[in-house]
Amino acid sequence: MEAQNDLRGWFARNWPEGLATAARLAALVGVFLPWVLLDDASRASNGPELAAYFWDGADRDFLRSTDLVKFLGFCAAPWVVSAAVLIAALKPMVTKDQSLFAHVTSIAAILVFSYCGTGAVDDWHAEFFGLLVPMVGLWIVTLGTAVSMTIAGTRGQFTQRQRWSR
């Protein structure tokens, strides 16, 4: 009976950490779910497939010739999102602190991808104020990262390095 009350009390005190962990793991799973349907593709691509698109993509020469900056943003963003989500998911398990930099970098790279990807996707993809509206995978990554960042920020769990100057 005593152990049951301790376990229940532990969950009652630590439910935000559990929710943040679930959000980070959902974001990690979202990296492998469909993000966008590229132009002339037969199926939607996920984060790692889009990262490989830079090396062997069918339309990469056309995209590079139209707008080099958007091409670089479109090809680099999946690498950055995948790495930042992986760091955000693993760092709390290793150091018990969360990385604000990884969360912010992930959100920023998602915005870059949404801005730069408008020329590479199929025509049926919706746009909203000039930004690409992605498929379910990138929505899950965005939502998981935002929930994790919000909970960690409200609980003060981010690693903050302070420089003491005299």
Side-chain angles (χ1 to χ4, degrees), residues 124-142:
W124 68 268
H125 264 287
E127 291 183 22
F128 185 70
F129 289 114
L131 297 176
L132 168 73
V133 177
M135 296 175 101
V136 68
L138 201 56
W139 282 109
I140 291 173
V141 171
T142 306

Side-chain angles (χ1 to χ4, degrees), residues 77-91:
W79 289 92
V80 175
V81 170
S82 299
V85 166
L86 185 64
I87 290 169
L90 293 179
K91 187 173 180 182

Side-chain angles (χ1 to χ4, degrees), residues 58-165:
D59 290 338
R60 67 187 176 105
D61 293 330
F62 170 73
L63 288 174
R64 186 176 32 215
S65 68
T66 58
D67 191 353
L68 182 63
V69 174
K70 281 190 175 183
F71 170 73
L72 292 174
F74 176 74
C75 291
W79 289 92
V80 175
V81 170
S82 299
V85 166
L86 185 64
I87 290 169
L90 293 179
K91 187 173 180 182
M93 294 177 197
V94 175
T95 65
K96 303 292 183 205
D97 290 325
Q98 296 191 38
S99 174
L100 176 63
F101 181 74
H103 286 88
V104 171
T105 302
S106 177
I107 296 292
I110 290 168
L111 290 173
V112 167
F113 181 80
S114 296
Y115 175 72
C116 296
T118 55
V121 297
D122 205 25
D123 291 337
W124 68 268
H125 264 287
E127 291 183 22
F128 185 70
F129 289 114
L131 297 176
L132 168 73
V133 177
M135 296 175 101
V136 68
L138 201 56
W139 282 109
I140 291 173
V141 171
T142 306
L143 183 62
T145 303
V147 167
S148 173
M149 184 169 57
T150 302
I151 291 173
T154 58
R155 307 256 318 172
Q157 295 176 344
F158 285 124
T159 304
Q160 296 181 4
R161 296 185 181 141
Q162 296 178 358
R163 297 181 186 202
W164 301 96
S165 60

